[in-house]
Amino acid sequence: GQNRVIIVSGNTGCGKSTQVPQYIFEKNKKGKILITQPRRIAAISIAKRLSYEMNSKLGDLIGYQVSMISHFSIDTKILVKTTGVFLEELLHNSLDYDYILLDEVHERDLYVDLVLASLKNYFKEFPESKVKLILMSATIAEKEFADYLKDVNLGRDVPIIEVKEDIMIKNN
């Protein structure tokens, strides 16, 4: 809809890391989705989990990039990266994504803070950008992020969507 930024909050383990990208992909098969994870192991395991759940060979539809290791192709639509790798990319390239899902933002490491600051600048510089930003957080700090990103959302309040364990059940 009209929002540039959305916050999805839910307890760790509620499946938001794998359900949200699949939900977006179902709605927009052509869109390119980036997911960031603070840690390498998490990035790789989420990519593996997604490719398993979406019935696709890892490196095709779903890929990942962590420090020196990358495993994706030109067909990749869902790319999982560590926050550090994405920050590096953000400083050097334009954003080639339709959706950016910053996962585990409540961990507030330096990379997350720098990525958020860089994205804020990016949206200021490119107000017509179509990129949608989705922050995924445990249910603690979402209000703080919502306030911080209000101007990115063109002055509108950033919606916060609560995910309970059983809402996003996958239809088999």
Side-chain angles (χ1 to χ4, degrees):
Q2 290 311 299
N3 294 296
R4 254 189 180 170
V5 189
I6 294 176
I7 296 170
V8 175
S9 93
N11 296 326
T12 308
C14 71
K16 58 187 181 305
S17 305
T18 53
Q19 296 302 318
V20 174
Q22 290 182 68
Y23 176 80
I24 293 170
F25 180 75
E26 286 308 313
K27 294 258 175 281
N28 177 3
K29 295 249 196 307
K30 288 195 174 33
K32 200 165 174 205
I33 302 169
L34 169 76
I35 306 165
T36 68
Q37 280 294 327
R39 285 175 300 280
R40 284 185 287 203
I41 291 175
I44 295 170
S45 70
I46 281 170
K48 285 181 175 164
R49 178 87 206 155
L50 278 167
S51 61
Y52 170 77
E53 287 186 11
M54 295 174 78
N55 231 334
S56 170
K57 199 161 120 313
L58 190 59
D60 293 348
L61 181 63
I62 297 106
Y64 66 84
Q65 187 178 4
V66 300
S67 60
M68 297 295 144
I69 313 161
S70 54
H71 194 57
F72 61 92
S73 65
I74 55 164
D75 300 323
T76 300
K77 289 283 179 237
I78 302 176
L79 190 52
V80 189
K81 296 186 176 195
T82 50
T83 318
V85 167
F86 177 52
L87 179 62
E88 194 72 19
E89 177 186 1
L90 205 48
L91 300 174
H92 299 107
N93 304 317
S94 63
L95 293 176
D96 185 27
Y97 306 102
D98 299 285
Y99 301 90
I100 296 173
L101 280 57
L102 302 177
D103 201 0
E104 307 290 352
V105 288
H106 56 274
E107 292 196 3
R108 292 303 297 272
D109 62 4
L110 180 62
Y111 290 134
V112 165
D113 287 354
L114 289 171
V115 161
L116 284 174
S118 305
L119 284 171
K120 231 178 140 158
N121 282 339
Y122 173 85
F123 283 115
K124 212 172 273 159
E125 249 179 272
F126 303 101
E128 70 294 332
S129 168
K130 294 278 179 267
V131 180
K132 298 272 193 216
L133 182 58
I134 299 168
L135 274 64
M136 301 205 280
S137 167
T139 44
I140 39 179
E142 66 265 279
K143 184 80 187 83
E144 203 182 323
F145 291 115
D147 293 342
Y148 180 71
L149 292 167
K150 190 169 177 172
D151 56 342
V152 171
N153 206 33
L154 307 174
R156 284 190 298 267
D157 283 334
V158 174
I160 297 173
I161 298 165
E162 290 269 351
V163 177
K164 299 281 180 270
E165 320 292 306
D166 48 8
I167 284 184
M168 299 188 100
I169 304 240
K170 215 165 144 271
N171 318 322
N172 286 326

